[in-house]
Amino acid sequence: MTIGSDKQSGPQMMAGELLSRHTSLHIGGPADFFCVAYSADDIAEAIAFSSQRSLPFIIIGSGTNLLVSDAGMPGVVIKNATGAKGAIQIAPGPASGGYQNSLEGSDVSAFVSVGSGMSFSHLATELVDRGFAGLEWAVGIPGTVGGAIAGNAGAHGGEVSHCLRFVEVLEKDGGRKQITREDMLFSYRSSPWKSGREGERRPIVGAEFEFRRDSAEHLRETARTYLAGRRSIQPGGWSAGSVFRNPPGFAAGALIEQCGLKGFRIGGAEISPVHANFIVNTGKASASDVLALIELCQEKVSLSFGIELSLEIVVLGEQ
Ligand SMILES: Cc1cc2nc3c(=O)[nH]c(=O)nc-3n(C[C@H](O)[C@H](O)[C@H](O)COP(=O)(O)OP(=O)(O)OC[C@H]3O[C@@H](n4cnc5c(N)ncnc54)[C@H](O)[C@@H]3O)c2cc1C
């Protein structure tokens, strides 16, 4: 482990790195310590560094679902850069057939293992091209496989947990442990990793999925249609995706729009005029600008409809 020196052994720890450089909202103050991990060993070393100093640590992926405080983050922030386009290992499913995905009731044709730093969209695109169905909805969704599992990413009725078999996590002592889907409580855009302070903290370093066969041409067409649909309704620019989860039976964006908030700005943050469930950094927004808009949306929607909007994005650091 090196701290701010040119000598490289394990991940290089940087003091005071601005997290705005590592989030899609381009917002976030300094981390006490920050490092980029290029391997699971790097992640383990960074955790050892934090334990030796009794500091908290957190692992992030591409920062596409994060709102980080202007004050930054205490402890150690580990950025997972373990192979955005790394190896995809494919093993055939049971030769006799008959093994079914317990959630979807479909025959499983292949088991697919990847590292957690892989680009989620890259994985989805590769699977589509190889004729495996299950993640075609994920083509074009930014972020890493680890981030997608931690947030139970989804779109068009699909969720990453539906085709997940198990994850591999890193234990404090550097050992690895598998946790099966049945032992993780996934729900709509939520997972054990997203359950607040008491949530799962162990970094996900790898995952195995299960998929069924379909025609690559058919899957490509489905992926293209989904992606075009999302691009036509989502804003470009700096955002962290949907800010709020959709309450049962409602679309959060429609509720916010009906409160007249589309296009409303505080400081440099704006409720997107394109899609009201997106808050966009127009250039110089602070985390407090975004939080003020979040609170305004929650207040107005609660007053108008009696519905409490809960966050889909992850808010980090002291606000
Ligand atoms: C334009 C845009 C469109 C989007 N569209 C969608 C969409 O259609 N559907 C959807 O679900 N999301 C969407 N998102 C949100 C985002 O892309 C996903 O939530 C994504 O899966 C986050 O991955 P990440 O690597 O960026 O995670 P980060 O934002 O870096 O982290 C998110 C959370 O996951 C945890 N985490 C990350 N990696 C690990 C790991 N290896 N081990 C343990 N915990 C980890 C972090 O601690 C944090 O709590 C969109 C975002 C943007 C900007």
PDB file of all heavy atoms in Angstrom, residues 125-146:
ATOM      1  N   THR A 125     -24.635  -6.719 -23.255  1.00  0.00           N
ATOM      2  CA  THR A 125     -24.450  -6.713 -24.714  1.00  0.00           C
ATOM      3  C   THR A 125     -23.804  -8.018 -25.180  1.00  0.00           C
ATOM      4  O   THR A 125     -24.219  -8.611 -26.181  1.00  0.00           O
ATOM      5  CB  THR A 125     -23.567  -5.507 -25.120  1.00  0.00           C
ATOM      6  OG1 THR A 125     -24.146  -4.334 -24.559  1.00  0.00           O
ATOM      7  CG2 THR A 125     -23.474  -5.358 -26.625  1.00  0.00           C
ATOM      8  N   GLU A 126     -22.790  -8.473 -24.432  1.00  0.00           N
ATOM      9  CA  GLU A 126     -22.114  -9.735 -24.799  1.00  0.00           C
ATOM     10  C   GLU A 126     -23.102 -10.902 -24.758  1.00  0.00           C
ATOM     11  O   GLU A 126     -23.077 -11.778 -25.626  1.00  0.00           O
ATOM     12  CB  GLU A 126     -20.961 -10.009 -23.827  1.00  0.00           C
ATOM     13  CG  GLU A 126     -19.763  -9.110 -24.025  1.00  0.00           C
ATOM     14  CD  GLU A 126     -18.984  -9.465 -25.288  1.00  0.00           C
ATOM     15  OE1 GLU A 126     -18.799 -10.665 -25.554  1.00  0.00           O
ATOM     16  OE2 GLU A 126     -18.585  -8.536 -26.011  1.00  0.00           O
ATOM     17  N   LEU A 127     -23.967 -10.911 -23.742  1.00  0.00           N
ATOM     18  CA  LEU A 127     -24.910 -12.026 -23.612  1.00  0.00           C
ATOM     19  C   LEU A 127     -25.923 -12.006 -24.753  1.00  0.00           C
ATOM     20  O   LEU A 127     -26.244 -13.051 -25.323  1.00  0.00           O
ATOM     21  CB  LEU A 127     -25.629 -11.947 -22.256  1.00  0.00           C
ATOM     22  CG  LEU A 127     -24.724 -12.252 -21.064  1.00  0.00           C
ATOM     23  CD1 LEU A 127     -25.375 -11.831 -19.764  1.00  0.00           C
ATOM     24  CD2 LEU A 127     -24.365 -13.742 -21.021  1.00  0.00           C
ATOM     25  N   VAL A 128     -26.393 -10.818 -25.092  1.00  0.00           N
ATOM     26  CA  VAL A 128     -27.326 -10.686 -26.218  1.00  0.00           C
ATOM     27  C   VAL A 128     -26.662 -11.229 -27.484  1.00  0.00           C
ATOM     28  O   VAL A 128     -27.234 -12.046 -28.214  1.00  0.00           O
ATOM     29  CB  VAL A 128     -27.735  -9.197 -26.388  1.00  0.00           C
ATOM     30  CG1 VAL A 128     -28.328  -8.931 -27.762  1.00  0.00           C
ATOM     31  CG2 VAL A 128     -28.719  -8.790 -25.292  1.00  0.00           C
ATOM     32  N   ASP A 129     -25.423 -10.810 -27.734  1.00  0.00           N
ATOM     33  CA  ASP A 129     -24.722 -11.224 -28.964  1.00  0.00           C
ATOM     34  C   ASP A 129     -24.473 -12.731 -28.993  1.00  0.00           C
ATOM     35  O   ASP A 129     -24.362 -13.324 -30.063  1.00  0.00           O
ATOM     36  CB  ASP A 129     -23.385 -10.476 -29.099  1.00  0.00           C
ATOM     37  CG  ASP A 129     -23.607  -9.048 -29.556  1.00  0.00           C
ATOM     38  OD1 ASP A 129     -24.704  -8.763 -30.094  1.00  0.00           O
ATOM     39  OD2 ASP A 129     -22.711  -8.197 -29.374  1.00  0.00           O
ATOM     40  N   ARG A 130     -24.350 -13.333 -27.790  1.00  0.00           N
ATOM     41  CA  ARG A 130     -24.099 -14.788 -27.752  1.00  0.00           C
ATOM     42  C   ARG A 130     -25.392 -15.592 -27.638  1.00  0.00           C
ATOM     43  O   ARG A 130     -25.372 -16.807 -27.471  1.00  0.00           O
ATOM     44  CB  ARG A 130     -23.189 -15.122 -26.575  1.00  0.00           C
ATOM     45  CG  ARG A 130     -21.803 -14.517 -26.738  1.00  0.00           C
ATOM     46  CD  ARG A 130     -20.970 -14.767 -25.506  1.00  0.00           C
ATOM     47  NE  ARG A 130     -19.838 -13.860 -25.449  1.00  0.00           N
ATOM     48  CZ  ARG A 130     -18.717 -14.113 -24.806  1.00  0.00           C
ATOM     49  NH1 ARG A 130     -18.562 -15.246 -24.181  1.00  0.00           N
ATOM     50  NH2 ARG A 130     -17.751 -13.240 -24.783  1.00  0.00           N
ATOM     51  N   GLY A 131     -26.548 -14.892 -27.673  1.00  0.00           N
ATOM     52  CA  GLY A 131     -27.826 -15.607 -27.672  1.00  0.00           C
ATOM     53  C   GLY A 131     -28.261 -16.127 -26.309  1.00  0.00           C
ATOM     54  O   GLY A 131     -28.886 -17.175 -26.222  1.00  0.00           O
ATOM     55  N   PHE A 132     -27.941 -15.371 -25.257  1.00  0.00           N
ATOM     56  CA  PHE A 132     -28.433 -15.738 -23.922  1.00  0.00           C
ATOM     57  C   PHE A 132     -29.417 -14.670 -23.442  1.00  0.00           C
ATOM     58  O   PHE A 132     -29.099 -13.482 -23.429  1.00  0.00           O
ATOM     59  CB  PHE A 132     -27.282 -15.864 -22.922  1.00  0.00           C
ATOM     60  CG  PHE A 132     -26.406 -17.048 -23.186  1.00  0.00           C
ATOM     61  CD1 PHE A 132     -25.096 -16.882 -23.593  1.00  0.00           C
ATOM     62  CD2 PHE A 132     -26.905 -18.333 -23.047  1.00  0.00           C
ATOM     63  CE1 PHE A 132     -24.285 -17.974 -23.851  1.00  0.00           C
ATOM     64  CE2 PHE A 132     -26.103 -19.439 -23.300  1.00  0.00           C
ATOM     65  CZ  PHE A 132     -24.795 -19.269 -23.704  1.00  0.00           C
ATOM     66  N   ALA A 133     -30.597 -15.115 -23.038  1.00  0.00           N
ATOM     67  CA  ALA A 133     -31.656 -14.182 -22.635  1.00  0.00           C
ATOM     68  C   ALA A 133     -31.667 -13.989 -21.132  1.00  0.00           C
ATOM     69  O   ALA A 133     -31.359 -14.919 -20.375  1.00  0.00           O
ATOM     70  CB  ALA A 133     -33.006 -14.735 -23.080  1.00  0.00           C
ATOM     71  N   GLY A 134     -32.007 -12.800 -20.681  1.00  0.00           N
ATOM     72  CA  GLY A 134     -32.154 -12.523 -19.247  1.00  0.00           C
ATOM     73  C   GLY A 134     -31.711 -11.131 -18.861  1.00  0.00           C
ATOM     74  O   GLY A 134     -32.194 -10.569 -17.898  1.00  0.00           O
ATOM     75  N   LEU A 135     -30.766 -10.550 -19.657  1.00  0.00           N
ATOM     76  CA  LEU A 135     -30.298  -9.189 -19.329  1.00  0.00           C
ATOM     77  C   LEU A 135     -30.454  -8.228 -20.504  1.00  0.00           C
ATOM     78  O   LEU A 135     -29.830  -7.170 -20.502  1.00  0.00           O
ATOM     79  CB  LEU A 135     -28.827  -9.213 -18.895  1.00  0.00           C
ATOM     80  CG  LEU A 135     -28.490  -9.651 -17.464  1.00  0.00           C
ATOM     81  CD1 LEU A 135     -27.006  -9.454 -17.174  1.00  0.00           C
ATOM     82  CD2 LEU A 135     -29.320  -8.903 -16.421  1.00  0.00           C
ATOM     83  N   GLU A 136     -31.291  -8.559 -21.480  1.00  0.00           N
ATOM     84  CA  GLU A 136     -31.413  -7.677 -22.655  1.00  0.00           C
ATOM     85  C   GLU A 136     -31.931  -6.286 -22.293  1.00  0.00           C
ATOM     86  O   GLU A 136     -31.642  -5.309 -22.966  1.00  0.00           O
ATOM     87  CB  GLU A 136     -32.250  -8.335 -23.769  1.00  0.00           C
ATOM     88  CG  GLU A 136     -33.608  -8.867 -23.402  1.00  0.00           C
ATOM     89  CD  GLU A 136     -33.561 -10.226 -22.674  1.00  0.00           C
ATOM     90  OE1 GLU A 136     -32.473 -10.708 -22.350  1.00  0.00           O
ATOM     91  OE2 GLU A 136     -34.640 -10.755 -22.401  1.00  0.00           O
ATOM     92  N   TRP A 137     -32.661  -6.193 -21.163  1.00  0.00           N
ATOM     93  CA  TRP A 137     -33.160  -4.896 -20.699  1.00  0.00           C
ATOM     94  C   TRP A 137     -32.032  -4.004 -20.171  1.00  0.00           C
ATOM     95  O   TRP A 137     -32.210  -2.813 -19.970  1.00  0.00           O
ATOM     96  CB  TRP A 137     -34.205  -5.101 -19.582  1.00  0.00           C
ATOM     97  CG  TRP A 137     -33.711  -5.985 -18.472  1.00  0.00           C
ATOM     98  CD1 TRP A 137     -33.867  -7.336 -18.376  1.00  0.00           C
ATOM     99  CD2 TRP A 137     -32.922  -5.601 -17.330  1.00  0.00           C
ATOM    100  NE1 TRP A 137     -33.239  -7.809 -17.245  1.00  0.00           N
ATOM    101  CE2 TRP A 137     -32.651  -6.773 -16.585  1.00  0.00           C
ATOM    102  CE3 TRP A 137     -32.423  -4.382 -16.866  1.00  0.00           C
ATOM    103  CZ2 TRP A 137     -31.909  -6.760 -15.410  1.00  0.00           C
ATOM    104  CZ3 TRP A 137     -31.683  -4.375 -15.700  1.00  0.00           C
ATOM    105  CH2 TRP A 137     -31.432  -5.546 -14.982  1.00  0.00           C
ATOM    106  N   ALA A 138     -30.855  -4.606 -19.922  1.00  0.00           N
ATOM    107  CA  ALA A 138     -29.781  -3.855 -19.245  1.00  0.00           C
ATOM    108  C   ALA A 138     -28.798  -3.202 -20.215  1.00  0.00           C
ATOM    109  O   ALA A 138     -27.906  -2.477 -19.774  1.00  0.00           O
ATOM    110  CB  ALA A 138     -29.030  -4.783 -18.295  1.00  0.00           C
ATOM    111  N   VAL A 139     -28.966  -3.458 -21.514  1.00  0.00           N
ATOM    112  CA  VAL A 139     -28.052  -2.832 -22.476  1.00  0.00           C
ATOM    113  C   VAL A 139     -28.213  -1.316 -22.371  1.00  0.00           C
ATOM    114  O   VAL A 139     -29.333  -0.800 -22.468  1.00  0.00           O
ATOM    115  CB  VAL A 139     -28.348  -3.329 -23.915  1.00  0.00           C
ATOM    116  CG1 VAL A 139     -27.542  -2.540 -24.933  1.00  0.00           C
ATOM    117  CG2 VAL A 139     -28.070  -4.826 -24.025  1.00  0.00           C
ATOM    118  N   GLY A 140     -27.116  -0.621 -22.123  1.00  0.00           N
ATOM    119  CA  GLY A 140     -27.155   0.846 -22.047  1.00  0.00           C
ATOM    120  C   GLY A 140     -27.296   1.387 -20.631  1.00  0.00           C
ATOM    121  O   GLY A 140     -27.176   2.597 -20.423  1.00  0.00           O
ATOM    122  N   ILE A 141     -27.529   0.518 -19.636  1.00  0.00           N
ATOM    123  CA  ILE A 141     -27.608   1.020 -18.246  1.00  0.00           C
ATOM    124  C   ILE A 141     -26.182   1.175 -17.720  1.00  0.00           C
ATOM    125  O   ILE A 141     -25.404   0.223 -17.730  1.00  0.00           O
ATOM    126  CB  ILE A 141     -28.433   0.066 -17.346  1.00  0.00           C
ATOM    127  CG1 ILE A 141     -29.892   0.084 -17.812  1.00  0.00           C
ATOM    128  CG2 ILE A 141     -28.337   0.490 -15.871  1.00  0.00           C
ATOM    129  CD1 ILE A 141     -30.844  -0.728 -16.960  1.00  0.00           C
ATOM    130  N   PRO A 142     -25.814   2.380 -17.258  1.00  0.00           N
ATOM    131  CA  PRO A 142     -24.422   2.593 -16.830  1.00  0.00           C
ATOM    132  C   PRO A 142     -24.116   1.909 -15.499  1.00  0.00           C
ATOM    133  O   PRO A 142     -25.025   1.540 -14.765  1.00  0.00           O
ATOM    134  CB  PRO A 142     -24.332   4.121 -16.696  1.00  0.00           C
ATOM    135  CG  PRO A 142     -25.723   4.582 -16.460  1.00  0.00           C
ATOM    136  CD  PRO A 142     -26.640   3.596 -17.123  1.00  0.00           C
ATOM    137  N   GLY A 143     -22.825   1.760 -15.213  1.00  0.00           N
ATOM    138  CA  GLY A 143     -22.417   1.216 -13.917  1.00  0.00           C
ATOM    139  C   GLY A 143     -21.774  -0.155 -14.033  1.00  0.00           C
ATOM    140  O   GLY A 143     -21.655  -0.722 -15.115  1.00  0.00           O
ATOM    141  N   THR A 144     -21.345  -0.664 -12.876  1.00  0.00           N
ATOM    142  CA  THR A 144     -20.660  -1.961 -12.802  1.00  0.00           C
ATOM    143  C   THR A 144     -21.646  -3.073 -12.418  1.00  0.00           C
ATOM    144  O   THR A 144     -22.754  -2.793 -11.933  1.00  0.00           O
ATOM    145  CB  THR A 144     -19.575  -1.909 -11.706  1.00  0.00           C
ATOM    146  OG1 THR A 144     -20.226  -1.593 -10.452  1.00  0.00           O
ATOM    147  CG2 THR A 144     -18.503  -0.874 -11.998  1.00  0.00           C
ATOM    148  N   VAL A 145     -21.201  -4.306 -12.592  1.00  0.00           N
ATOM    149  CA  VAL A 145     -22.008  -5.452 -12.152  1.00  0.00           C
ATOM    150  C   VAL A 145     -22.233  -5.372 -10.637  1.00  0.00           C
ATOM    151  O   VAL A 145     -23.348  -5.592 -10.147  1.00  0.00           O
ATOM    152  CB  VAL A 145     -21.300  -6.774 -12.545  1.00  0.00           C
ATOM    153  CG1 VAL A 145     -21.920  -7.967 -11.832  1.00  0.00           C
ATOM    154  CG2 VAL A 145     -21.351  -6.965 -14.063  1.00  0.00           C
ATOM    155  N   GLY A 146     -21.188  -5.015  -9.872  1.00  0.00           N
ATOM    156  CA  GLY A 146     -21.324  -4.914  -8.413  1.00  0.00           C
ATOM    157  C   GLY A 146     -22.370  -3.883  -8.019  1.00  0.00           C
ATOM    158  O   GLY A 146     -23.209  -4.127  -7.139  1.00  0.00           O
TER     159      GLY A 146
END
